[in-house]
Amino acid sequence: MSAPRGGLIGSPAPRRKNRELLTGEGTYVADIRLEGQVYARVVRSPSAHARLLGVDTSEALRVPGVVAAITADDIDDIRIPIRLPFAESPEANAVLQAPLAADVVRYVGEPVAVVVADDPYVAEDAAELVSVDLEELEPVLDPATSAESSRTLVHESFGSNTIGRLAYRYGDVDAAFAQADVVVRRRLRVHRLAATPMETRGLVADYDSGSGGLTVWGGAKVKHFTRALLSRVLGLELTKVRVIEVEVGGGFGTRGEPYPEDILVALLARRLERPVQWIEDRWEHMVATNHAREQEHDFELAAGADGRMLGFRVRGWCDHGAYVRTQGLLPVVLPMVHLPGPYEWQAFSMDLDAVLTNRTPVGTYRGPGMTEATFVRERMVDILAAELQMDPADLRRRNLIPAESMPFSFMPGPGSGAVMPIMYQGGDFVQAFDQMLDGAGYDRMRVEQQQARADGQHAGVGISAYIEFAAVGPFEEVEVIGGAGNVVVRAGVGSLGQGVETALAQIAAELLDVPLTDVTVEFHDTAEVPQGFGAFASRSTVLAGNAIAAAVDEMRAVAAPLLGCGPDDVEFRGGAATAPGDRSVGLGDIGPTRGRFEKEGLTASFGGAVCSVSVNPADGRARVDRFALAHDVGRAVNPRLLRGQLAGAAAQGIGGALFEEIAYDEHGQPLSVTFADYMMPTAAELPDVEVTIIEHGSGSNPLGIKGGGEAGMVGSLGAVANGVADAVGAGAEVLSSSVSSAHLWHALHRPTGHDPGEE
Amino acid sequence: MKPPPFAYAAAGTLDEAVALLDEAGEDAKLLAGGQSLLPLLAFRLARPSHLIDIGGIEGLDTLEEQDGCLRVGALVRHATLERADLNGGWQALREAASLIGHLPIRVRGTFGGSLAHADPASELGVVAAAFDAEIVLRSVRGVRTMPARDFFLAPLTTAADPDEVLVEARFPTPGTGFRSVFEEFSPRIGDFAYASVAAGCRLATDGSARDVRIALGSVGPTPVRALDAEQALSGSFLDDTAIVECARLAAELCDPDAGDWHADGTYRRALVSHLVERALRRLGGGP
């Protein structure tokens, strides 16, 4: 019998399916062709805000090949619910979206009808013939204005454009400000971004009238929730609905939530009793799929002359777009819990409004809320550092929560609403921060900056530090089926390209001491995996990984009586459970076991980013020359995949700062509807991302893992903005997370500004 | 994002192409590399009745110096032009081609297609304007030529009649010692430029600039020749004072309304000034 294999957890195993995916052999939802398949095309509102007087499909229905055209009149009056109970409120539930608009359209791109034809080209031709009769209304386009002074209401019957105010009070904030030697105040803006996975959304639904069963391909992220929702909306038993995940070209939080189209395509499949395919095109994607990030914050920071940060007050407006979607109030909840970050505040006071505007609804995008909050707080910290003429790294280090204070909490005080308490389980922030700076060579970066400045260049160094809350429960349950040369793990997670199946296989293989290639991870089909919560909040490896560990413990318990020993004496070796004295029983003889891992609350991880930036004042271009990040992942299951995740997320963040922006004109018409206008970065615009993995294990789960799929994003907007601000110095104030060349050039050349060339 | 219905015909010869075009009427469009037209079709921003595909016609990819000019055929791909062995006077043409989109686009996209599409951000249009290219047009009615300055009328609009095929452009061979460069600013590599400049000159034996050519892109409805700036520089040395003054004069030509939400007119104007300076410093022997 071989020695325990070990070492698989922590090994850089290549991602499964790399070859298939890279050689074009993967099957994506658009590749599915079923017998008799028809194609849906959604007719969308061309207006940001209008009364919908009528939708006439008669001309479309006359086009040869068209098999159906439906409007709101043809379906039940339903709303797409909020998926997460903690992100619900009565107010949010009052502004949920219907699959098709009935009386009013509230953003460009809102579905008003669906045309189905036996050919996707015909469907698109016929969709143009649907006439939509609109009476234009004034659109509401700015979050702060919408909340404070707009006469126009996005939802007239609700009576306000503010759908909730979250308040969080900690300590005596007035006392903190009274003690302060310095107070800095700014209004900061986080610009609207979109996750834009390479693969747009898509669905195929097939209803079998014989069995009364509905099968939907293309669900990803939250398959089991989608199944339950479709079962309820279609009046089918849960067991009659099956949601199957195929290969997915990126999720980033937006893809795989149930959207209007998920319901429409399923309804049409049942009505027509033919398979219906809908593939979102890029234009649709840019107006129909959740946007993210847009918010404004008035932030005041109080500090002592020695750089001790005492407290802050923040008043913010978080845009939700025209409706609240499945993620509920997360666009306001998540910034709130992330605003305090890793610093030891005496007191703070936060008031954040959830606001509606006549634009595409807002949801979560990789590093949701935490990326925005980190930008706002970290920009303010740098503004304070400039005011105090302190090194930004020293200022941060002085204020980080010390390791001896762990676990640490900012418990909500009187005046707080019903908010999630902010608690950090552990970690050594100061040590991790220094590890990041050492890894990046911070001191050398500063020396190089001085040299570049001496050469007349505008060079800056930007830092950010953050807390990421991730790995949300409530639980995952997995099944582990042992066999000779084959172990199957069934888990209700989702694979969006991040490689979770590889990481879970590593965990199972190590715990059972079998070769990695012997482990199969099944997660694609709700018929085979009875429950699961899905892929979000960097939870999959944490929750399902620990559930695998529980299932393996259960195997130990089942094997013990067979081996005549206690469970603690059972060791897994080479595909068998063994006991002292050379007794063994094959994994296949133990029988399938289930493991469940329940998790309350969120796991906090510390991380940060540091970058070198150069700015050319003549054309406004900012370049990120170096970008280094560090993140506490607890324990790296697969450092190769983890680095890929962290670097990829940082690349998205750098692109978001330098290039990407979802813009609207004054009529609420979207301007960023192609990849020529929504400018994602290419490799040519990005530096290598240098990754430092920190492994301060977590006590909150047996494997000691924390989230890692999103963290690379979290510090990016803040670090890049701080680097740009440092580069331009007094030449311009950086108050927006967008530092595109045009914005920066204008900031540098405001008539009242100083000439940056004369610093 | 699927094109509206259209009829399609592939022309085997130029004669066939002009005949098909004549027959199809004024809502027909020529298809060559498809790098601009196909996206327009996908967005249904163009709705041609017919697409006449000239991509397979032989002999339209001439790239040679002949009779005192460089002839660039309609089907010369940007990637070919970028790598062509041309004399230093046409460096701007190679540089301009290298800045069009990304390599896969340059492999398919054609010289004639770019000129005929007449996007104000087209690099090749700016080069054609700067160096007085003659545009050769052919229809069933015959052949005619016109200077580039008369060819571009407005964004996506040229003086070519609906029945005419752009066959080639002829760049007059410049005098010995003439050098040219191309500069642009785009947010990312391959984006539509916010501003671009083609510039060229010959340095006389005393070091002064002669035969000065400067044209600008993306700052008005069509490529624009900066005649005042050319004249101001002509006969001067390429020193800081002359360069700054020339850049200032060129920037004055920018249409303040030429911008969009990415980059407004004020910003583009500043970019032009910066780019003209950079181009002239290169012509003067700088980096």
Side-chain angles (χ1 to χ4, degrees):
Chain A
M1 204 150 283
S2 62
R5 215 162 297 262
L8 277 172
I9 299 178
S11 82
R15 187 180 65 164
R16 296 194 157 193
K17 289 210 161 167
N18 271 347
R19 196 191 60 82
E20 291 93 319
L21 295 179
L22 291 170
T23 55
E25 287 168 28
T27 298
Y28 295 83
V29 64
D31 298 321
I32 294 175
R33 293 284 178 279
L34 300 179
E35 178 80 30
Q37 182 169 306
V38 289
Y39 301 83
R41 175 74 181 173
V42 179
V43 179
R44 298 180 183 278
S45 169
S47 169
H49 197 193
R51 261 180 240 296
L52 186 55
L53 304 177
V55 183
D56 183 355
T57 59
S58 53
E59 209 181 328
L61 281 165
R62 281 197 289 274
V63 174
V66 169
V67 297
I70 60 166
T71 69
D73 292 341
D74 300 308
I75 64 172
D76 291 340
D77 184 20
I78 50 174
R79 298 289 179 275
I80 302 167
I82 294 170
R83 180 167 63 76
L84 302 155
F86 68 91
E88 273 189 71
S89 75
E91 294 79 10
N93 282 329
V95 294
L96 300 177
Q97 186 169 11
L100 290 170
D103 305 314
V104 177
V105 290
R106 296 185 173 88
Y107 63 95
V108 173
E110 181 169 4
V112 294
V114 188
V115 175
V116 186
D118 55 16
D119 175 294
Y121 288 78
V122 173
E124 199 162 325
D125 292 343
E128 282 195 322
L129 302 175
V130 172
S131 105
V132 182
D133 189 7
L134 299 171
E135 181 189 313
E136 292 290 333
L137 298 168
E138 199 65 32
V140 182
L141 299 171
D142 176 68
T145 314
S146 167
E148 302 302 312
S149 59
S150 174
R151 285 188 306 260
T152 308
L153 295 173
V154 179
H155 290 262
E156 216 162 47
S157 61
F158 181 68
S160 169
N161 289 333
T162 303
I163 47 165
R165 172 172 294 186
L166 268 57
Y168 200 123
R169 311 269 178 264
Y170 172 75
D172 185 345
V173 78
D174 292 334
F177 273 76
Q179 285 171 47
D181 301 309
V182 185
V183 175
V184 286
R185 294 185 182 85
R186 296 289 189 283
R187 175 172 286 196
L188 295 170
R189 177 173 175 268
V190 187
H191 65 302
R192 197 172 252 250
L193 289 165
T196 52
M198 286 312 290
E199 186 197 13
T200 57
R201 291 183 296 137
L203 297 157
V204 176
D206 188 19
Y207 179 73
D208 177 13
S209 55
S211 67
L214 176 81
T215 306
V216 177
W217 290 262
K221 183 174 177 177
V222 292
K223 293 185 287 289
H224 292 84
F225 177 80
T226 302
R227 178 182 61 160
L229 174 62
L230 293 178
S231 130
R232 192 154 57 74
V233 169
L234 274 72
L236 296 171
E237 278 175 46
L238 196 58
T239 53
K240 295 287 188 194
V241 182
R242 186 174 167 194
V243 179
I244 300 176
E245 179 178 314
V246 288
E247 298 300 348
V248 178
F252 312 121
T254 58
R255 190 192 160 82
E257 292 285 338
Y259 283 85
E261 294 84 357
D262 294 65
I263 289 171
L264 295 168
V265 171
L267 284 171
L268 283 160
R270 190 172 63 169
R271 180 166 306 188
L272 297 170
E273 296 192 5
R274 287 178 76 171
V276 177
Q277 185 181 64
W278 170 74
I279 303 297
E280 183 181 55
D281 69 32
R282 187 58 67 183
W283 176 84
E284 287 185 287
H285 180 83
M286 300 309 291
V287 298
T289 297
N290 288 344
H291 291 171
R293 305 254 194 268
E294 184 165 353
Q295 40 200 267
E296 283 182 54
H297 296 270
D298 282 341
F299 199 104
E300 295 180 275
L301 198 171
D306 60 351
R308 183 93 189 92
M309 301 199 300
L310 304 167
F312 70 86
R313 291 192 191 103
V314 63
R315 171 93 181 83
W317 298 269
C318 301
D319 190 13
H320 283 60
Y323 295 94
V324 168
R325 281 186 173 168
T326 49
Q327 293 160 330
L329 293 171
L330 288 188
V332 67
V333 170
L334 291 175
M336 168 156 285
V337 297
H338 288 95
L339 271 165
Y343 306 116
E344 198 174 21
W345 306 103
Q346 284 178 23
F348 55 75
S349 167
M350 303 191 276
D351 291 280
L352 302 190
D353 282 3
V355 176
L356 298 171
T357 58
N358 286 113
R359 298 176 300 177
T360 297
V362 169
T364 62
Y365 164 28
R366 201 175 201 176
M370 53 197 90
T371 303
E372 298 90 308
T374 299
F375 163 76
V376 169
R377 181 191 62 248
E378 295 300 305
R379 189 75 270 280
M380 292 304 296
V381 171
D382 261 32
I383 288 168
L384 175 67
E387 182 81 20
L388 294 171
Q389 298 189 317
M390 277 182 73
D391 179 274
D394 290 341
L395 177 59
R396 286 179 172 81
R397 192 184 292 106
R398 187 170 302 196
N399 288 284
L400 289 170
I401 298 167
E404 53 271 25
S405 300
M406 291 293 166
F408 185 90
S409 62
F410 292 115
M411 294 310 284
S416 302
V419 291
M420 208 184 317
I422 297 168
M423 296 190 284
Y424 310 144
Q425 297 85 354
D428 186 337
F429 297 175
V430 177
Q431 190 274 336
F433 184 70
D434 284 337
Q435 203 178 329
M436 171 179 84
L437 295 184
D438 290 347
Y442 176 71
D443 294 337
R444 191 165 39 89
M445 284 169 114
R446 286 292 185 196
V447 170
E448 285 166 3
Q449 178 191 19
Q450 290 314 317
Q451 288 164 351
R453 284 185 171 173
D455 292 342
Q457 293 171 38
H458 292 74
V461 175
I463 307 181
S464 68
Y466 64 80
I467 293 292
E468 173 197 57
F469 282 114
V472 68
F475 66 87
E476 281 299 331
E477 195 169 284
V478 303
E479 189 176 24
V480 177
I481 307 152
N486 184 23
V487 172
V488 176
V489 176
R490 289 182 171 163
V493 297
S495 178
L496 309 166
Q498 78 277 49
V500 64
E501 60 274 50
T502 312
L504 295 183
Q506 285 174 261
I507 292 169
E510 169 155 337
L511 297 178
L512 292 171
D513 189 41
V514 297
L516 186 55
T517 48
D518 282 4
V519 182
T520 309
V521 181
E522 290 180 354
F523 54 86
H524 299 91
D525 189 340
T526 59
E528 283 169 18
V529 181
Q531 58 181 339
F533 289 88
F536 54 94
S538 299
R539 66 188 295 280
S540 297
T541 305
V542 179
L543 274 287
N546 282 290
I548 290 171
V552 170
D553 281 344
E554 178 61 18
M555 265 191 181
R556 207 183 299 277
V558 175
L562 302 176
L563 292 164
C565 67
D568 291 347
D569 294 326
V570 177
E571 260 187 53
F572 292 99
R573 282 202 199 165
T578 67
D582 236 12
R583 284 161 295 161
S584 77
V585 52
L587 294 180
D589 299 324
I590 299 173
T593 59
R594 285 181 177 278
R596 183 179 165 103
F597 181 67
E598 295 188 8
K599 187 169 181 302
E600 270 182 48
L602 293 154
T603 302
S605 310
F606 175 85
V610 53
C611 61
S612 295
V613 174
S614 51
V615 171
N616 180 349
D619 58 23
R621 193 197 300 277
R623 228 182 259 285
V624 176
D625 300 312
R626 283 189 57 204
F627 192 96
L629 64 85
H631 181 69
D632 176 12
V633 72
R635 177 186 186 189
V637 175
N638 184 324
R640 183 203 304 247
L641 289 177
L642 181 62
R643 277 172 199 278
Q645 287 294 303
L646 291 169
Q652 272 184 314
I654 295 167
L658 297 183
F659 304 107
E660 297 171 31
E661 181 171 12
I662 295 274
Y664 284 84
D665 74 7
E666 68 274 24
H667 308 293
Q669 289 295 326
L671 299 169
S672 323
V673 293
T674 71
F675 278 163
D677 290 308
Y678 192 78
M679 300 181 179
M680 296 166 77
T682 73
E685 285 83 35
L686 291 168
D688 277 343
V689 176
E690 305 156 39
V691 172
T692 298
I693 294 171
I694 292 165
E695 298 184 274
H696 291 169
S698 152
S700 67
N701 66 81
L703 292 176
I705 326 172
K706 301 177 186 177
E710 306 175 69
M713 172 73 81
V714 182
S716 57
L717 292 183
V720 173
N722 281 338
V724 168
D726 190 37
V728 300
E733 270 237 287
V734 176
L735 299 176
S736 163
S737 52
S738 169
V739 285
S740 70
S741 64
H743 289 318
L744 199 50
W745 185 88
H746 279 289
L748 284 162
H749 295 86
R750 288 222 167 83
T752 51
H754 312 283
D755 182 347
E758 291 178 6
E759 273 166 45
Chain B
M1 242 182 224
K2 306 209 179 305
F6 56 82
Y8 172 89
T13 64
L14 193 52
D15 286 339
E16 206 183 325
V18 292
L20 283 166
L21 196 53
D22 182 52
E23 202 175 299
E26 57 181 37
D27 291 332
K29 273 274 188 196
L30 293 171
L31 173 67
Q35 297 304 294
S36 298
L37 181 55
L38 294 189
L40 287 179
L41 288 173
F43 278 105
R44 298 187 173 227
L45 293 170
R47 293 170 180 273
S49 60
H50 295 69
L51 284 189
I52 294 159
D53 190 344
I54 59 168
I57 298 177
E58 279 182 30
L60 274 184
D61 57 353
T62 312
L63 181 60
E64 60 180 12
E65 256 190 285
Q66 205 179 47
D67 304 332
C69 64
L70 176 71
R71 294 174 54 205
V72 186
L75 292 185
V76 171
R77 311 280 162 172
H78 309 317
T80 307
L81 197 52
E82 171 185 1
R83 287 169 177 74
D85 183 20
L86 303 175
N87 83 45
W90 286 307
Q91 178 67 14
L93 196 51
R94 294 178 40 180
E95 290 181 5
S98 76
L99 292 167
I100 299 170
H102 299 272
L103 183 60
I105 292 170
R106 297 199 292 276
V107 167
R108 284 192 173 266
T110 64
F111 178 78
S114 180
L115 292 187
H117 184 55
D119 190 304
S122 159
E123 286 84 356
L124 295 174
V126 179
V127 179
F131 304 113
D132 281 333
E134 288 280 316
I135 312 290
V136 181
L137 301 168
R138 186 165 153 193
S139 69
V140 288
R141 296 172 288 135
V143 177
R144 64 171 177 148
T145 65
M146 70 170 69
R149 65 174 173 274
D150 298 334
F151 180 69
F152 298 108
L153 299 180
L156 312 192
T157 310
T158 70
D161 288 326
D163 66 344
E164 286 181 313
V165 177
L166 190 158
V167 178
E168 65 181 36
R170 295 178 185 157
F171 291 83
T173 302
T176 315
F178 187 86
R179 292 180 56 234
S180 69
V181 296
F182 192 90
E183 290 284 343
E184 71 175 27
F185 180 90
S186 65
R188 298 171 304 177
I189 286 179
D191 279 324
F192 291 106
Y194 290 169
S196 62
V197 172
C201 72
R202 176 172 64 81
L203 296 182
T205 44
D206 66 353
S208 63
R210 303 294 163 88
D211 301 338
V212 180
R213 299 302 177 90
I214 299 170
L216 316 175
S218 292
V219 292
T222 64
V224 52
R225 268 289 281 283
L227 295 170
D228 288 349
E230 289 179 1
Q231 203 168 6
L233 193 65
S234 211
S236 304
F237 299 109
L238 286 176
D239 58 20
D240 275 357
T241 317
I243 285 175
V244 169
E245 174 62 6
C246 181
R248 188 188 67 78
L249 287 168
E252 280 188 4
L253 283 176
C254 297
D255 180 347
D257 298 327
D260 60 12
W261 72 274
H262 288 295
D264 64 14
T266 318
Y267 177 40
R268 287 175 193 247
R269 184 188 172 100
L271 289 174
V272 162
S273 163
H274 173 58
L275 293 169
V276 170
E277 283 191 27
R278 210 158 73 189
L280 296 180
R281 286 187 208 289
R282 282 180 63 201
L283 289 174

